């Protein structure tokens, strides 16, 4: 099969999860495949689009800077790792047969990745062989536009066992790896009721059907990598206004056979200067910002510039 030119990739989907005009802290889980107006893409785990070269370059730059800063593991067992690798390696050719092909090869499996020109070899249990990457998960994460996490569980204890985070939104992988649901979300205002249900939510992630949810915030640039060591994205200049809706489409896929779940995070940007031209989008966005608590505004980095942003929105 010949390589498929990047130019044939579609444009990015255009989600707008603020239609109700309220900022809410809740699970907001929907079955994967729920109709959000994006057709077949609403049924897909992975979204590959015309921005793929840029996302790939940002991931490469992050790993070259310091792979340990963006890729972390904690008590990751071989069965969990192999199950996660197997899911991604098998799912990509199902969703994108024109860009990925998985073939039975000698003593294992071979995944042809036509967008990057890479060929990944795995053994029968989907352990990665002969690659310059840190692991099979690392190799596969470099073929997609999503960041990913793995949640593992043993008995009553659960923790994040993998974080591959090249597009951090003002948080660091090293601060979250190995932590429980409640520990990870403790800094988020309004999360207290959900944190008390952390074990039940993890149970739903592992044993329930595939789910999707959305998160959003505002940024003053379209930089994908906002690691805490990389300042920016939160200083609004009313004299030269730039504001973007930073969206995350989060897909959760359970791996109950190994007591784990995969969590994919795809980041998108939408230019607010365009959104405010549409009365529905403008009203919903302004209302959602105004519905935020003071603590949420501070957490999202909006508090210092709230007046200026609302004045600019009009």
């Amino acid at each position: 099969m010949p390589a498929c030119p990047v130019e044939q990739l579609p444009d990015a989907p255009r989600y707008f999860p603020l239609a109700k005009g309220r900022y809410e802290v809740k699970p907001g889980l929907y079955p994967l495949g729920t109709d959000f107006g994006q057709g077949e893409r609403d049924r897909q785990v992975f979204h590959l689009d015309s921005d793929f070269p840029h996302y790939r370059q940002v991931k490469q730059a992050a790993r070259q800077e310091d792979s340990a800063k963006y890729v972390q593991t904690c008590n990751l067992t071989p069965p969990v790792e192999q199950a996660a690798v197997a899911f991604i390696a098998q799912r990509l050719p199902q969703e994108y047969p024109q860009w990925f092909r998985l073939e039975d090869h000698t003593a294992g499996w071979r995944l042809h990745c036509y967008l990057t020109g890479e060929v990944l070899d795995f053994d029968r249990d989907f352990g990665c062989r002969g690659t310059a990457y840190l692991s099979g998960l690392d190799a596969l994460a470099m073929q997609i536009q999503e960041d990913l996490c793995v949640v593992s569980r043993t008995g009553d204890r659960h923790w994040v066992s993998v974080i591959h985070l090249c597009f951090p939104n003002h948080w660091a992988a090293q601060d979250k790896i190995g932590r429980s649901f409640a520990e990870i979300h403790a800094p988020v205002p309004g999360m207290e009721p959900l944190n008390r249900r952390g074990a039940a939510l993890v149970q739903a992630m592992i044993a329930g059907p595939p789910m999707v949810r959305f998160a959003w915030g505002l940024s003053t640039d379209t930089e994908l990598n906002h690691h805490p060591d990389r300042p920016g994205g939160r200083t609004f200049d009313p004299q030269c206004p730039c504001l973007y809706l930073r969206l995350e489409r989060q897909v959760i896929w359970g791996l109950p056979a190994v007591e784990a779940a995969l969590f994919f995070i795809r980041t998108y940007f939408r230019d607010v200067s365009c959104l405010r031209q549409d009365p529905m989008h403008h009203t919903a966005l302004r209302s959602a910002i105004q519905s935020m608590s003071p603590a949420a505004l501070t957490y999202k980095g909006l508090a210092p510039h709230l007046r200026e942003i609302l004045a600019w929105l009009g």
Side-chain angles (χ1 to χ4, degrees):
M1 181 187 296
C4 182
V6 173
E7 291 76 13
Q8 294 183 19
L9 287 163
D11 291 336
R14 299 171 65 80
Y15 290 106
F16 187 76
L18 292 72
K20 293 182 180 179
R22 288 202 59 79
Y23 174 77
E24 298 175 303
V25 180
K26 62 179 184 179
L29 295 169
Y30 299 88
L32 182 65
T34 298
D35 184 3
F36 294 106
Q38 305 300 316
E40 175 63 23
R41 305 177 98 176
D42 285 329
R43 294 181 283 276
Q44 293 175 320
V45 173
F46 305 104
H47 281 174
L48 295 170
D49 56 54
S50 55
D51 291 326
F52 177 83
H54 175 58
Y55 281 64
R56 165 87 171 178
Q57 186 276 323
V58 174
K59 286 194 176 191
Q60 289 174 322
R63 295 176 74 264
Q64 289 167 5
E65 176 194 342
D66 182 358
S67 61
K69 187 174 177 179
Y70 300 96
V71 184
Q72 292 269 324
T73 64
C74 177
N75 297 327
L76 174 65
T77 64
V80 170
E81 181 174 15
Q82 290 164 2
V85 168
F87 170 76
I88 300 171
Q90 293 169 338
R91 185 76 182 191
L92 283 172
Q94 292 175 16
E95 294 189 347
Y96 298 100
Q98 68 273 50
W99 296 314
F100 295 93
R101 180 165 60 89
L102 184 65
E103 64 179 8
D104 193 332
H105 180 72
T106 329
W109 303 95
R110 174 167 287 176
L111 181 66
H112 296 264
C113 309
Y114 294 110
L115 290 176
T116 62
E118 296 180 351
V119 178
L120 305 179
D121 284 320
F122 304 93
D123 61 29
R124 283 292 173 206
D125 294 322
F126 280 95
C128 199
R129 305 181 303 182
T131 174
Y133 289 107
L134 300 172
S135 66
L137 271 178
D138 182 32
L140 288 167
M142 294 301 293
Q143 314 303 321
I144 59 178
Q145 288 174 252
E146 286 80 10
D147 282 328
L148 67 86
C149 300
V150 177
V151 177
S152 295
R153 183 174 64 182
T154 299
D156 294 332
R157 177 175 174 262
H158 69 266
W159 71 98
V160 178
S161 56
V162 177
I163 300 180
H164 199 292
L165 183 74
C166 294
F167 311 138
N169 189 18
H170 302 280
W171 61 282
Q174 63 190 19
D175 295 336
K176 305 296 184 182
I177 192 68
R179 297 182 177 245
S180 68
F181 181 95
E183 290 170 332
I184 288 171
H185 296 98
V188 182
M191 278 293 295
E192 294 82 3
L194 294 180
N195 285 342
R196 289 193 289 270
R197 297 170 48 206
L201 290 171
V202 169
Q203 167 64 14
M205 291 172 62
I206 293 174
M211 306 294 286
V212 63
R213 69 183 301 272
F214 294 90
W216 65 273
L218 292 171
S219 178
T220 53
D221 61 34
T222 57
E223 173 60 58
L224 284 163
N225 182 357
H226 269 304
H227 188 278
D229 290 346
R230 297 166 60 95
R234 290 188 164 179
T235 302
F236 182 77
D237 181 1
Q239 302 305 314
C240 187
C242 290
L243 197 63
Y244 301 90
L245 191 62
R246 180 171 177 137
L247 303 169
E248 290 180 358
R249 178 183 185 254
Q250 303 172 356
V251 174
I252 303 163
W253 193 286
L255 303 171
V258 292
E259 288 286 288
L262 277 161
F263 189 86
F264 300 100
I265 308 169
R266 173 60 202 276
T267 299
Y268 312 88
F269 292 97
R270 297 196 64 179
D271 191 337
V272 174
S273 65
C274 296
L275 291 175
R276 69 176 188 159
Q277 304 303 315
D278 181 293
M280 183 193 74
H281 288 158
H282 172 266
T283 300
L285 177 57
R286 184 181 178 85
S287 176
I289 295 172
Q290 291 177 313
S291 73
M292 288 184 177
S293 68
L297 288 166
T298 299
Y299 178 75
K300 292 284 189 179
L302 298 176
H305 307 283
L306 180 61
R307 285 186 184 175
E308 290 89 346
I309 288 172
L310 291 176
W312 176 72
L313 281 174

